Short mmCIF file of all heavy atoms in Angstrom, two decimals:
data_model
loop_
_atom_site.label_atom_id
_atom_site.label_comp_id
_atom_site.label_asym_id
_atom_site.label_seq_id
_atom_site.Cartn_x
_atom_site.Cartn_y
_atom_site.Cartn_z
N ARG Z 20 0.85 -1.18 0.00
CA ARG Z 20 0.00 0.00 0.00
C ARG Z 20 0.88 1.23 0.00
O ARG Z 20 1.84 1.30 0.74
CB ARG Z 20 -0.89 0.00 1.23
CG ARG Z 20 -1.79 -1.20 1.29
CD ARG Z 20 -2.56 -1.22 2.58
NE ARG Z 20 -3.18 -2.53 2.71
CZ ARG Z 20 -3.48 -3.10 3.83
NH1 ARG Z 20 -3.25 -2.48 4.96
NH2 ARG Z 20 -4.04 -4.28 3.86
N LEU Z 21 0.56 2.18 -0.81
CA LEU Z 21 1.35 3.39 -0.91
C LEU Z 21 0.51 4.57 -0.47
O LEU Z 21 -0.65 4.69 -0.81
CB LEU Z 21 1.83 3.60 -2.36
CG LEU Z 21 2.66 2.46 -2.96
CD1 LEU Z 21 2.94 2.75 -4.42
CD2 LEU Z 21 3.94 2.26 -2.20
N SER Z 22 1.15 5.46 0.31
CA SER Z 22 0.41 6.65 0.73
C SER Z 22 0.38 7.65 -0.42
O SER Z 22 1.28 7.69 -1.25
CB SER Z 22 1.05 7.28 1.98
OG SER Z 22 2.32 7.81 1.65
N ALA Z 23 -0.64 8.46 -0.46
CA ALA Z 23 -0.80 9.42 -1.55
C ALA Z 23 0.25 10.51 -1.50
O ALA Z 23 0.72 10.99 -2.54
CB ALA Z 23 -2.20 10.04 -1.50
N GLU Z 24 0.68 10.93 -0.29
CA GLU Z 24 1.66 12.02 -0.17
C GLU Z 24 3.06 11.57 -0.60
O GLU Z 24 3.76 12.28 -1.31
CB GLU Z 24 1.74 12.55 1.28
CG GLU Z 24 0.45 13.11 1.82
CD GLU Z 24 -0.42 12.02 2.44
OE1 GLU Z 24 0.13 11.07 3.03
OE2 GLU Z 24 -1.64 12.12 2.31
N ASN Z 25 3.48 10.46 -0.11
CA ASN Z 25 4.83 9.98 -0.42
C ASN Z 25 4.74 8.49 -0.73
O ASN Z 25 4.69 7.67 0.16
CB ASN Z 25 5.78 10.25 0.76
CG ASN Z 25 7.22 10.05 0.36
OD1 ASN Z 25 7.52 9.50 -0.70
ND2 ASN Z 25 8.12 10.50 1.20
N PRO Z 26 4.76 8.15 -2.00
CA PRO Z 26 4.54 6.76 -2.37
C PRO Z 26 5.64 5.80 -1.90
O PRO Z 26 5.43 4.61 -1.83
CB PRO Z 26 4.46 6.80 -3.89
CG PRO Z 26 5.00 8.10 -4.31
CD PRO Z 26 4.92 9.02 -3.14
N ASP Z 27 6.85 6.32 -1.57
CA ASP Z 27 7.95 5.44 -1.18
C ASP Z 27 7.95 5.12 0.31
O ASP Z 27 8.57 4.16 0.74
CB ASP Z 27 9.29 6.07 -1.56
CG ASP Z 27 9.45 6.15 -3.08
OD1 ASP Z 27 8.84 5.32 -3.77
OD2 ASP Z 27 10.16 7.05 -3.55
N VAL Z 28 7.30 5.93 1.13
CA VAL Z 28 7.33 5.74 2.57
C VAL Z 28 6.24 4.77 2.99
O VAL Z 28 5.09 4.90 2.61
CB VAL Z 28 7.13 7.10 3.30
CG1 VAL Z 28 7.06 6.88 4.80
CG2 VAL Z 28 8.26 8.05 2.94
N GLY Z 29 6.63 3.81 3.77
CA GLY Z 29 5.66 2.86 4.31
C GLY Z 29 5.12 1.88 3.29
O GLY Z 29 4.05 1.32 3.50
N ALA Z 30 5.82 1.70 2.22
CA ALA Z 30 5.34 0.76 1.20
C ALA Z 30 5.48 -0.67 1.73
O ALA Z 30 6.48 -1.02 2.34
CB ALA Z 30 6.14 0.92 -0.08
N ILE Z 31 4.48 -1.44 1.52
CA ILE Z 31 4.48 -2.84 1.93
C ILE Z 31 4.42 -3.68 0.66
O ILE Z 31 3.49 -3.56 -0.14
CB ILE Z 31 3.28 -3.17 2.83
CG1 ILE Z 31 3.34 -2.33 4.10
CG2 ILE Z 31 3.25 -4.65 3.15
CD1 ILE Z 31 2.12 -2.49 4.96
N CYS Z 32 5.43 -4.49 0.48
CA CYS Z 32 5.48 -5.35 -0.69
C CYS Z 32 5.04 -6.75 -0.27
O CYS Z 32 5.62 -7.32 0.65
CB CYS Z 32 6.87 -5.41 -1.29
SG CYS Z 32 7.43 -3.83 -1.92
N GLU Z 33 4.08 -7.25 -0.90
CA GLU Z 33 3.63 -8.60 -0.64
C GLU Z 33 4.06 -9.48 -1.79
O GLU Z 33 3.81 -9.18 -2.95
CB GLU Z 33 2.12 -8.65 -0.47
CG GLU Z 33 1.63 -7.93 0.76
CD GLU Z 33 0.14 -8.06 0.93
OE1 GLU Z 33 -0.44 -9.03 0.40
OE2 GLU Z 33 -0.44 -7.20 1.60
N MET Z 34 4.72 -10.57 -1.44
CA MET Z 34 5.15 -11.51 -2.45
C MET Z 34 3.97 -12.39 -2.83
O MET Z 34 3.27 -12.88 -1.95
CB MET Z 34 6.29 -12.39 -1.92
CG MET Z 34 7.57 -11.62 -1.65
SD MET Z 34 8.29 -10.91 -3.12
CE MET Z 34 8.77 -12.36 -4.00
N PRO Z 35 3.77 -12.58 -4.09
CA PRO Z 35 2.67 -13.48 -4.50
C PRO Z 35 3.03 -14.91 -4.12
O PRO Z 35 4.20 -15.29 -4.11
CB PRO Z 35 2.61 -13.31 -6.01
CG PRO Z 35 3.96 -12.83 -6.40
CD PRO Z 35 4.48 -12.03 -5.23
N SER Z 36 2.04 -15.67 -3.80
CA SER Z 36 2.30 -17.07 -3.47
C SER Z 36 2.57 -17.83 -4.77
O SER Z 36 1.97 -17.55 -5.81
CB SER Z 36 1.12 -17.69 -2.72
OG SER Z 36 -0.02 -17.67 -3.55
N LEU Z 37 3.49 -18.75 -4.68
CA LEU Z 37 3.85 -19.53 -5.86
C LEU Z 37 3.09 -20.84 -5.85
O LEU Z 37 2.86 -21.44 -4.80
CB LEU Z 37 5.35 -19.82 -5.86
CG LEU Z 37 6.26 -18.59 -5.92
CD1 LEU Z 37 7.70 -19.02 -5.77
CD2 LEU Z 37 6.04 -17.84 -7.20
N SER Z 38 2.71 -21.27 -7.02
CA SER Z 38 2.05 -22.55 -7.11
C SER Z 38 3.10 -23.65 -6.97
O SER Z 38 4.30 -23.42 -7.11
CB SER Z 38 1.32 -22.69 -8.45
OG SER Z 38 2.23 -22.58 -9.51
N ARG Z 39 2.65 -24.84 -6.70
CA ARG Z 39 3.55 -25.97 -6.51
C ARG Z 39 4.28 -26.26 -7.82
O ARG Z 39 3.67 -26.26 -8.90
CB ARG Z 39 2.74 -27.18 -6.09
CG ARG Z 39 3.57 -28.38 -5.84
CD ARG Z 39 2.72 -29.49 -5.22
NE ARG Z 39 3.57 -30.63 -4.98
CZ ARG Z 39 3.36 -31.83 -5.51
NH1 ARG Z 39 2.30 -32.03 -6.26
NH2 ARG Z 39 4.18 -32.81 -5.27
N LYS Z 40 5.57 -26.52 -7.72
CA LYS Z 40 6.36 -26.82 -8.90
C LYS Z 40 6.23 -28.30 -9.23
O LYS Z 40 6.37 -29.15 -8.37
CB LYS Z 40 7.83 -26.49 -8.66
CG LYS Z 40 8.72 -26.80 -9.82
CD LYS Z 40 10.17 -26.48 -9.54
CE LYS Z 40 11.04 -26.89 -10.68
NZ LYS Z 40 12.45 -26.68 -10.42
N ASN Z 41 5.94 -28.58 -10.47
CA ASN Z 41 5.86 -29.96 -10.94
C ASN Z 41 6.92 -30.18 -12.00
O ASN Z 41 6.98 -29.46 -12.99
CB ASN Z 41 4.48 -30.25 -11.54
CG ASN Z 41 3.39 -30.20 -10.50
OD1 ASN Z 41 3.54 -30.72 -9.42
ND2 ASN Z 41 2.30 -29.53 -10.83
N ASP Z 42 7.78 -31.16 -11.77
CA ASP Z 42 8.80 -31.51 -12.74
C ASP Z 42 8.36 -32.76 -13.49
O ASP Z 42 7.86 -33.71 -12.90
CB ASP Z 42 10.13 -31.80 -12.06
CG ASP Z 42 10.78 -30.56 -11.49
OD1 ASP Z 42 10.59 -29.48 -12.10
OD2 ASP Z 42 11.47 -30.65 -10.47
N LEU Z 43 8.56 -32.73 -14.78
CA LEU Z 43 8.27 -33.89 -15.61
C LEU Z 43 9.61 -34.40 -16.12
O LEU Z 43 10.32 -33.69 -16.84
CB LEU Z 43 7.36 -33.51 -16.77
CG LEU Z 43 7.06 -34.61 -17.77
CD1 LEU Z 43 6.31 -35.75 -17.10
CD2 LEU Z 43 6.26 -34.06 -18.93
N ILE Z 44 9.97 -35.59 -15.73
CA ILE Z 44 11.25 -36.17 -16.13
C ILE Z 44 10.99 -37.27 -17.14
O ILE Z 44 10.22 -38.21 -16.87
CB ILE Z 44 12.02 -36.73 -14.92
CG1 ILE Z 44 12.29 -35.60 -13.92
CG2 ILE Z 44 13.30 -37.41 -15.36
CD1 ILE Z 44 12.86 -36.06 -12.61
N ILE Z 45 11.62 -37.13 -18.29
CA ILE Z 45 11.47 -38.13 -19.35
C ILE Z 45 12.86 -38.65 -19.69
O ILE Z 45 13.76 -37.88 -20.02
CB ILE Z 45 10.83 -37.51 -20.61
CG1 ILE Z 45 9.44 -36.95 -20.27
CG2 ILE Z 45 10.75 -38.54 -21.73
CD1 ILE Z 45 8.80 -36.19 -21.39
N TRP Z 46 13.04 -39.93 -19.56
CA TRP Z 46 14.33 -40.55 -19.86
C TRP Z 46 14.33 -41.02 -21.31
O TRP Z 46 13.46 -41.79 -21.72
CB TRP Z 46 14.57 -41.74 -18.93
CG TRP Z 46 14.69 -41.33 -17.51
CD1 TRP Z 46 13.69 -41.27 -16.59
CD2 TRP Z 46 15.86 -40.89 -16.84
NE1 TRP Z 46 14.17 -40.83 -15.39
CE2 TRP Z 46 15.50 -40.58 -15.51
CE3 TRP Z 46 17.18 -40.72 -17.22
CZ2 TRP Z 46 16.42 -40.12 -14.57
CZ3 TRP Z 46 18.10 -40.26 -16.28
CH2 TRP Z 46 17.71 -39.97 -14.99
N ILE Z 47 15.29 -40.56 -22.07
CA ILE Z 47 15.43 -41.01 -23.46
C ILE Z 47 16.89 -41.38 -23.70
O ILE Z 47 17.79 -40.92 -23.00
CB ILE Z 47 14.97 -39.94 -24.47
CG1 ILE Z 47 15.76 -38.65 -24.28
CG2 ILE Z 47 13.49 -39.67 -24.33
CD1 ILE Z 47 15.50 -37.64 -25.37
N ARG Z 48 17.12 -42.19 -24.67
CA ARG Z 48 18.48 -42.60 -25.01
C ARG Z 48 19.14 -41.54 -25.90
O ARG Z 48 18.47 -40.84 -26.65
CB ARG Z 48 18.48 -43.93 -25.74
CG ARG Z 48 17.95 -45.06 -24.88
CD ARG Z 48 18.26 -46.39 -25.55
NE ARG Z 48 17.74 -47.49 -24.78
CZ ARG Z 48 18.37 -48.05 -23.76
NH1 ARG Z 48 19.54 -47.61 -23.37
NH2 ARG Z 48 17.82 -49.07 -23.12
N LEU Z 49 20.46 -41.48 -25.81
CA LEU Z 49 21.22 -40.59 -26.70
C LEU Z 49 21.20 -41.18 -28.11
O LEU Z 49 21.20 -42.39 -28.28
CB LEU Z 49 22.66 -40.48 -26.23
CG LEU Z 49 22.90 -39.88 -24.85
CD1 LEU Z 49 24.39 -39.94 -24.50
CD2 LEU Z 49 22.41 -38.46 -24.77
N VAL Z 50 21.20 -40.29 -29.09
CA VAL Z 50 21.36 -40.76 -30.46
C VAL Z 50 22.81 -41.18 -30.63
O VAL Z 50 23.69 -40.76 -29.86
CB VAL Z 50 20.93 -39.69 -31.49
CG1 VAL Z 50 19.46 -39.35 -31.35
CG2 VAL Z 50 21.79 -38.45 -31.39
N PRO Z 51 23.13 -42.01 -31.61
CA PRO Z 51 24.51 -42.50 -31.77
C PRO Z 51 25.56 -41.39 -31.81
O PRO Z 51 26.64 -41.53 -31.23
CB PRO Z 51 24.46 -43.29 -33.08
CG PRO Z 51 23.05 -43.77 -33.15
CD PRO Z 51 22.22 -42.66 -32.58
N LEU Z 52 25.27 -40.28 -32.48
CA LEU Z 52 26.23 -39.18 -32.54
C LEU Z 52 26.50 -38.61 -31.15
O LEU Z 52 27.65 -38.38 -30.77
CB LEU Z 52 25.73 -38.08 -33.47
CG LEU Z 52 26.59 -36.82 -33.53
CD1 LEU Z 52 27.97 -37.14 -34.08
CD2 LEU Z 52 25.91 -35.75 -34.35
N GLN Z 53 25.45 -38.41 -30.36
CA GLN Z 53 25.62 -37.90 -29.01
C GLN Z 53 26.43 -38.86 -28.16
O GLN Z 53 27.32 -38.44 -27.41
CB GLN Z 53 24.25 -37.68 -28.34
CG GLN Z 53 23.49 -36.48 -28.86
CD GLN Z 53 22.11 -36.43 -28.26
OE1 GLN Z 53 21.33 -37.36 -28.44
NE2 GLN Z 53 21.80 -35.36 -27.58
N GLU Z 54 26.14 -40.14 -28.27
CA GLU Z 54 26.85 -41.14 -27.48
C GLU Z 54 28.33 -41.19 -27.85
O GLU Z 54 29.20 -41.26 -26.97
CB GLU Z 54 26.22 -42.52 -27.68
CG GLU Z 54 26.81 -43.56 -26.78
CD GLU Z 54 26.11 -44.90 -26.89
OE1 GLU Z 54 25.06 -44.99 -27.56
OE2 GLU Z 54 26.63 -45.86 -26.31
N GLU Z 55 28.63 -41.07 -29.13
CA GLU Z 55 30.03 -41.08 -29.58
C GLU Z 55 30.79 -39.87 -29.03
O GLU Z 55 31.89 -40.01 -28.50
CB GLU Z 55 30.07 -41.08 -31.11
CG GLU Z 55 31.47 -41.06 -31.69
CD GLU Z 55 31.47 -40.95 -33.20
OE1 GLU Z 55 30.41 -41.12 -33.83
OE2 GLU Z 55 32.55 -40.66 -33.74
N ILE Z 56 30.20 -38.69 -29.15
CA ILE Z 56 30.85 -37.48 -28.64
C ILE Z 56 31.01 -37.56 -27.12
O ILE Z 56 32.05 -37.20 -26.57
CB ILE Z 56 30.05 -36.22 -29.04
CG1 ILE Z 56 30.03 -36.08 -30.55
CG2 ILE Z 56 30.66 -34.98 -28.40
CD1 ILE Z 56 29.07 -35.01 -31.06
N TYR Z 57 29.99 -38.05 -26.44
CA TYR Z 57 30.01 -38.19 -24.98
C TYR Z 57 31.17 -39.10 -24.55
O TYR Z 57 31.96 -38.75 -23.68
CB TYR Z 57 28.67 -38.76 -24.52
CG TYR Z 57 28.46 -38.78 -23.03
CD1 TYR Z 57 27.71 -37.80 -22.41
CD2 TYR Z 57 28.98 -39.80 -22.24
CE1 TYR Z 57 27.49 -37.83 -21.04
CE2 TYR Z 57 28.77 -39.83 -20.88
CZ TYR Z 57 28.02 -38.85 -20.28
OH TYR Z 57 27.82 -38.88 -18.94
N ARG Z 58 31.26 -40.26 -25.19
CA ARG Z 58 32.33 -41.21 -24.84
C ARG Z 58 33.72 -40.64 -25.13
O ARG Z 58 34.65 -40.83 -24.36
CB ARG Z 58 32.12 -42.53 -25.58
CG ARG Z 58 30.94 -43.31 -25.07
CD ARG Z 58 30.83 -44.67 -25.77
NE ARG Z 58 29.61 -45.34 -25.43
CZ ARG Z 58 29.41 -46.05 -24.33
NH1 ARG Z 58 30.38 -46.16 -23.46
NH2 ARG Z 58 28.25 -46.63 -24.10
N LYS Z 59 33.86 -39.94 -26.25
CA LYS Z 59 35.16 -39.34 -26.58
C LYS Z 59 35.54 -38.26 -25.56
O LYS Z 59 36.68 -38.17 -25.15
CB LYS Z 59 35.15 -38.75 -27.99
CG LYS Z 59 35.22 -39.79 -29.07
CD LYS Z 59 35.23 -39.15 -30.45
CE LYS Z 59 35.29 -40.21 -31.53
NZ LYS Z 59 35.29 -39.62 -32.88
N PHE Z 60 34.56 -37.46 -25.15
CA PHE Z 60 34.82 -36.40 -24.17
C PHE Z 60 35.24 -37.00 -22.84
O PHE Z 60 36.21 -36.56 -22.23
CB PHE Z 60 33.57 -35.52 -24.00
CG PHE Z 60 33.77 -34.38 -23.04
CD1 PHE Z 60 34.41 -33.22 -23.45
CD2 PHE Z 60 33.33 -34.47 -21.73
CE1 PHE Z 60 34.61 -32.17 -22.58
CE2 PHE Z 60 33.52 -33.42 -20.85
CZ PHE Z 60 34.16 -32.26 -21.28
N VAL Z 61 34.53 -38.01 -22.39
CA VAL Z 61 34.83 -38.62 -21.09
C VAL Z 61 36.18 -39.33 -21.12
O VAL Z 61 36.86 -39.42 -20.10
CB VAL Z 61 33.70 -39.59 -20.69
CG1 VAL Z 61 34.05 -40.40 -19.47
CG2 VAL Z 61 32.42 -38.82 -20.44
N SER Z 62 36.61 -39.81 -22.29
CA SER Z 62 37.88 -40.53 -22.37
C SER Z 62 39.09 -39.62 -22.55
O SER Z 62 40.22 -40.12 -22.57
CB SER Z 62 37.82 -41.56 -23.51
OG SER Z 62 37.77 -40.89 -24.75
N LEU Z 63 38.89 -38.31 -22.66
CA LEU Z 63 40.03 -37.40 -22.78
C LEU Z 63 40.88 -37.46 -21.52
O LEU Z 63 40.36 -37.54 -20.40
CB LEU Z 63 39.54 -35.96 -23.01
CG LEU Z 63 38.82 -35.69 -24.33
CD1 LEU Z 63 38.27 -34.27 -24.32
CD2 LEU Z 63 39.77 -35.89 -25.50
N ASP Z 64 42.20 -37.40 -21.70
CA ASP Z 64 43.12 -37.52 -20.57
C ASP Z 64 42.90 -36.44 -19.52
O ASP Z 64 42.90 -36.71 -18.32
CB ASP Z 64 44.58 -37.49 -21.05
CG ASP Z 64 44.96 -38.76 -21.79
OD1 ASP Z 64 44.31 -39.80 -21.55
OD2 ASP Z 64 45.89 -38.70 -22.61
N HIS Z 65 42.71 -35.18 -19.96
CA HIS Z 65 42.55 -34.12 -18.96
C HIS Z 65 41.23 -34.23 -18.20
O HIS Z 65 41.13 -33.79 -17.07
CB HIS Z 65 42.75 -32.73 -19.59
CG HIS Z 65 41.64 -32.27 -20.48
ND1 HIS Z 65 41.54 -32.64 -21.80
CD2 HIS Z 65 40.56 -31.49 -20.23
CE1 HIS Z 65 40.47 -32.10 -22.33
NE2 HIS Z 65 39.84 -31.39 -21.40
N ILE Z 66 40.24 -34.84 -18.80
CA ILE Z 66 38.97 -35.07 -18.10
C ILE Z 66 39.16 -36.18 -17.06
O ILE Z 66 38.69 -36.07 -15.92
CB ILE Z 66 37.84 -35.44 -19.08
CG1 ILE Z 66 37.60 -34.30 -20.07
CG2 ILE Z 66 36.56 -35.79 -18.33
CD1 ILE Z 66 37.19 -32.98 -19.42
N LYS Z 67 39.90 -37.23 -17.41
CA LYS Z 67 40.18 -38.30 -16.45
C LYS Z 67 40.96 -37.74 -15.26
O LYS Z 67 40.67 -38.07 -14.11
CB LYS Z 67 40.98 -39.42 -17.12
CG LYS Z 67 40.17 -40.24 -18.10
CD LYS Z 67 41.05 -41.31 -18.72
CE LYS Z 67 40.32 -42.09 -19.78
NZ LYS Z 67 41.17 -43.06 -20.43
N GLU Z 68 41.95 -36.89 -15.53
CA GLU Z 68 42.73 -36.28 -14.45
C GLU Z 68 41.85 -35.40 -13.57
O GLU Z 68 41.97 -35.40 -12.36
CB GLU Z 68 43.88 -35.46 -15.04
CG GLU Z 68 44.96 -36.29 -15.70
CD GLU Z 68 45.98 -35.43 -16.43
OE1 GLU Z 68 46.00 -34.20 -16.22
OE2 GLU Z 68 46.76 -35.99 -17.21
N LEU Z 69 40.99 -34.64 -14.21
CA LEU Z 69 40.10 -33.75 -13.47
C LEU Z 69 39.21 -34.53 -12.51
O LEU Z 69 38.99 -34.12 -11.38
CB LEU Z 69 39.24 -32.95 -14.44
CG LEU Z 69 38.22 -32.04 -13.78
CD1 LEU Z 69 38.92 -30.85 -13.12
CD2 LEU Z 69 37.21 -31.55 -14.78
N LEU Z 70 38.69 -35.65 -12.97
CA LEU Z 70 37.80 -36.44 -12.12
C LEU Z 70 38.54 -37.06 -10.94
O LEU Z 70 37.92 -37.40 -9.93
CB LEU Z 70 37.12 -37.53 -12.95
CG LEU Z 70 36.16 -37.01 -14.03
CD1 LEU Z 70 35.64 -38.16 -14.87
CD2 LEU Z 70 35.01 -36.25 -13.41
N MET Z 71 39.86 -37.17 -11.02
CA MET Z 71 40.66 -37.72 -9.93
C MET Z 71 41.11 -36.64 -8.95
O MET Z 71 41.60 -36.95 -7.87
CB MET Z 71 41.89 -38.45 -10.47
CG MET Z 71 41.54 -39.63 -11.37
SD MET Z 71 40.46 -40.84 -10.60
CE MET Z 71 41.58 -41.57 -9.44
N GLU Z 72 40.95 -35.35 -9.31
CA GLU Z 72 41.35 -34.25 -8.44
C GLU Z 72 40.25 -33.91 -7.45
O GLU Z 72 39.13 -34.40 -7.55
CB GLU Z 72 41.67 -33.01 -9.28
CG GLU Z 72 42.87 -33.15 -10.17
CD GLU Z 72 43.11 -31.90 -11.01
OE1 GLU Z 72 42.36 -30.93 -10.87
OE2 GLU Z 72 44.04 -31.92 -11.82
N THR Z 73 40.59 -33.02 -6.51
CA THR Z 73 39.59 -32.58 -5.55
C THR Z 73 38.84 -31.36 -6.05
O THR Z 73 37.84 -30.97 -5.46
CB THR Z 73 40.27 -32.23 -4.20
OG1 THR Z 73 41.26 -31.24 -4.44
CG2 THR Z 73 40.89 -33.47 -3.59
N ARG Z 74 39.31 -30.75 -7.14
CA ARG Z 74 38.63 -29.58 -7.71
C ARG Z 74 37.27 -29.99 -8.26
O ARG Z 74 37.06 -31.10 -8.72
CB ARG Z 74 39.49 -29.00 -8.84
CG ARG Z 74 38.95 -27.72 -9.44
CD ARG Z 74 39.95 -27.15 -10.44
NE ARG Z 74 39.93 -27.84 -11.71
CZ ARG Z 74 39.10 -27.53 -12.71
NH1 ARG Z 74 38.22 -26.58 -12.58
NH2 ARG Z 74 39.16 -28.18 -13.85
N SER Z 75 36.33 -29.08 -8.23
CA SER Z 75 34.97 -29.36 -8.68
C SER Z 75 34.92 -29.49 -10.21
O SER Z 75 35.38 -28.60 -10.92
CB SER Z 75 34.03 -28.25 -8.23
OG SER Z 75 32.76 -28.44 -8.77
N PRO Z 76 34.33 -30.56 -10.71
CA PRO Z 76 34.23 -30.75 -12.17
C PRO Z 76 32.93 -30.19 -12.75
O PRO Z 76 32.44 -30.69 -13.75
CB PRO Z 76 34.27 -32.27 -12.30
CG PRO Z 76 33.59 -32.75 -11.06
CD PRO Z 76 33.98 -31.75 -9.98
N LEU Z 77 32.37 -29.15 -12.15
CA LEU Z 77 31.08 -28.64 -12.60
C LEU Z 77 31.09 -28.14 -14.04
O LEU Z 77 30.12 -28.33 -14.77
CB LEU Z 77 30.58 -27.54 -11.66
CG LEU Z 77 30.18 -28.00 -10.27
CD1 LEU Z 77 29.73 -26.82 -9.42
CD2 LEU Z 77 29.08 -29.04 -10.34
N ALA Z 78 32.17 -27.50 -14.46
CA ALA Z 78 32.23 -27.00 -15.84
C ALA Z 78 32.16 -28.16 -16.83
O ALA Z 78 31.44 -28.08 -17.84
CB ALA Z 78 33.50 -26.20 -16.05
N GLU Z 79 32.88 -29.23 -16.54
CA GLU Z 79 32.88 -30.38 -17.43
C GLU Z 79 31.52 -31.08 -17.40
O GLU Z 79 31.04 -31.57 -18.42
CB GLU Z 79 34.00 -31.34 -17.05
CG GLU Z 79 35.38 -30.83 -17.42
CD GLU Z 79 35.88 -29.67 -16.55
OE1 GLU Z 79 35.34 -29.45 -15.45
OE2 GLU Z 79 36.81 -28.98 -16.99
N LEU Z 80 30.90 -31.13 -16.25
CA LEU Z 80 29.55 -31.71 -16.17
C LEU Z 80 28.56 -30.88 -16.98
O LEU Z 80 27.64 -31.42 -17.58
CB LEU Z 80 29.10 -31.82 -14.72
CG LEU Z 80 29.82 -32.88 -13.89
CD1 LEU Z 80 29.37 -32.79 -12.44
CD2 LEU Z 80 29.59 -34.26 -14.44
N GLY Z 81 28.78 -29.57 -17.01
CA GLY Z 81 27.93 -28.70 -17.83
C GLY Z 81 28.07 -29.03 -19.31
O GLY Z 81 27.09 -29.01 -20.06
N VAL Z 82 29.29 -29.34 -19.74
CA VAL Z 82 29.52 -29.73 -21.14
C VAL Z 82 28.76 -31.01 -21.44
O VAL Z 82 28.09 -31.13 -22.48
CB VAL Z 82 31.03 -29.92 -21.42
CG1 VAL Z 82 31.26 -30.54 -22.79
CG2 VAL Z 82 31.76 -28.59 -21.30
N LEU Z 83 28.83 -31.99 -20.53
CA LEU Z 83 28.12 -33.25 -20.76
C LEU Z 83 26.61 -33.04 -20.78
O LEU Z 83 25.91 -33.67 -21.57
CB LEU Z 83 28.50 -34.26 -19.68
CG LEU Z 83 29.96 -34.74 -19.73
CD1 LEU Z 83 30.25 -35.64 -18.54
CD2 LEU Z 83 30.26 -35.43 -21.04
N LYS Z 84 26.11 -32.15 -19.95
CA LYS Z 84 24.67 -31.86 -19.94
C LYS Z 84 24.25 -31.25 -21.28
O LYS Z 84 23.25 -31.63 -21.86
CB LYS Z 84 24.31 -30.91 -18.81
CG LYS Z 84 22.84 -30.59 -18.76
CD LYS Z 84 22.57 -29.48 -17.77
CE LYS Z 84 21.12 -29.06 -17.78
NZ LYS Z 84 20.62 -28.61 -19.06
N LYS Z 85 25.05 -30.29 -21.77
CA LYS Z 85 24.73 -29.66 -23.05
C LYS Z 85 24.75 -30.69 -24.18
O LYS Z 85 23.91 -30.67 -25.08
CB LYS Z 85 25.72 -28.54 -23.35
CG LYS Z 85 25.52 -27.32 -22.49
CD LYS Z 85 26.57 -26.28 -22.82
CE LYS Z 85 26.45 -25.07 -21.90
NZ LYS Z 85 27.49 -24.08 -22.19
N LEU Z 86 25.72 -31.59 -24.13
CA LEU Z 86 25.82 -32.63 -25.14
C LEU Z 86 24.57 -33.51 -25.13
O LEU Z 86 24.04 -33.87 -26.18
CB LEU Z 86 27.07 -33.49 -24.91
CG LEU Z 86 27.20 -34.72 -25.78
CD1 LEU Z 86 27.32 -34.31 -27.24
CD2 LEU Z 86 28.37 -35.54 -25.36
N CYS Z 87 24.10 -33.83 -23.95
CA CYS Z 87 22.89 -34.66 -23.85
C CYS Z 87 21.66 -33.89 -24.32
O CYS Z 87 20.70 -34.49 -24.82
CB CYS Z 87 22.70 -35.14 -22.42
SG CYS Z 87 23.94 -36.35 -21.93
N ASP Z 88 21.66 -32.57 -24.16
CA ASP Z 88 20.54 -31.76 -24.64
C ASP Z 88 20.54 -31.71 -26.17
O ASP Z 88 19.53 -31.95 -26.82
CB ASP Z 88 20.59 -30.34 -24.08
CG ASP Z 88 20.28 -30.31 -22.59
OD1 ASP Z 88 19.69 -31.27 -22.08
OD2 ASP Z 88 20.65 -29.31 -21.94
N HIS Z 89 21.69 -31.36 -26.74
CA HIS Z 89 21.83 -31.33 -28.21
C HIS Z 89 23.30 -31.26 -28.56
O HIS Z 89 24.04 -30.46 -27.98
CB HIS Z 89 21.10 -30.11 -28.79
CG HIS Z 89 20.87 -30.23 -30.27
ND1 HIS Z 89 21.87 -30.00 -31.18
CD2 HIS Z 89 19.78 -30.59 -30.97
CE1 HIS Z 89 21.40 -30.20 -32.40
NE2 HIS Z 89 20.13 -30.55 -32.30
N PRO Z 90 23.80 -32.05 -29.50
CA PRO Z 90 25.23 -32.08 -29.83
C PRO Z 90 25.81 -30.75 -30.28
O PRO Z 90 26.97 -30.48 -30.08
CB PRO Z 90 25.33 -33.11 -30.96
CG PRO Z 90 24.09 -33.90 -30.90
CD PRO Z 90 23.04 -33.03 -30.27
N ARG Z 91 25.00 -29.87 -30.88
CA ARG Z 91 25.52 -28.60 -31.36
C ARG Z 91 25.78 -27.60 -30.23
O ARG Z 91 26.40 -26.59 -30.44
CB ARG Z 91 24.60 -28.00 -32.39
CG ARG Z 91 24.60 -28.78 -33.67
CD ARG Z 91 23.79 -28.09 -34.73
NE ARG Z 91 23.83 -28.86 -35.95
CZ ARG Z 91 23.15 -28.54 -37.03
NH1 ARG Z 91 22.36 -27.48 -37.02
NH2 ARG Z 91 23.23 -29.29 -38.10
N LEU Z 92 25.26 -27.87 -29.03
CA LEU Z 92 25.52 -26.96 -27.90
C LEU Z 92 26.95 -27.11 -27.45
O LEU Z 92 27.55 -26.26 -26.90
CB LEU Z 92 24.57 -27.28 -26.73
CG LEU Z 92 23.10 -26.91 -26.98
CD1 LEU Z 92 22.27 -27.38 -25.79
CD2 LEU Z 92 22.93 -25.43 -27.16
#
């Protein structure tokens, strides 16, 4: 609610309630091209080394996620 004299003073912001989130998960197989690129990426020496380190492999996991979404990503 905003006062007529000074709209910024005493403003109360109410957050709208969010509806329940529903996730739909569909499992599909990779097409042969995706599977080939995926296997080649995972077999790279620097990826193998990375997975053995304590550093977070999130960037590389992002690459694999993009590959599973579409090979051109």
Side-chain angles (χ1 to χ4, degrees):
R20 300 175 193 153
L21 302 175
S22 68
E24 300 87 34
N25 193 347
D27 293 333
V28 176
I31 298 174
C32 296
E33 293 183 24
M34 294 296 293
S36 62
L37 299 174
S38 61
R39 182 172 180 239
K40 179 181 176 184
N41 294 316
D42 290 328
L43 176 63
I44 300 172
I45 300 173
W46 296 92
I47 58 171
R48 296 192 182 276
L49 297 176
V50 297
L52 175 63
Q53 287 174 300
E54 186 175 352
E55 179 184 347
I56 297 170
Y57 188 99
R58 290 184 188 278
K59 285 181 180 179
F60 182 80
V61 172
S62 68
L63 294 173
D64 289 336
H65 72 277
I66 299 300
K67 289 179 184 177
E68 291 172 13
L69 177 71
L70 295 175
M71 299 304 289
E72 294 178 1
T73 57
R74 185 174 78 87
S75 174
L77 291 179
E79 288 72 18
L80 289 174
V82 171
L83 293 175
K84 180 189 175 302
K85 288 178 184 178
L86 172 63
C87 291
D88 290 340
H89 197 282
R91 290 186 180 176
L92 290 176

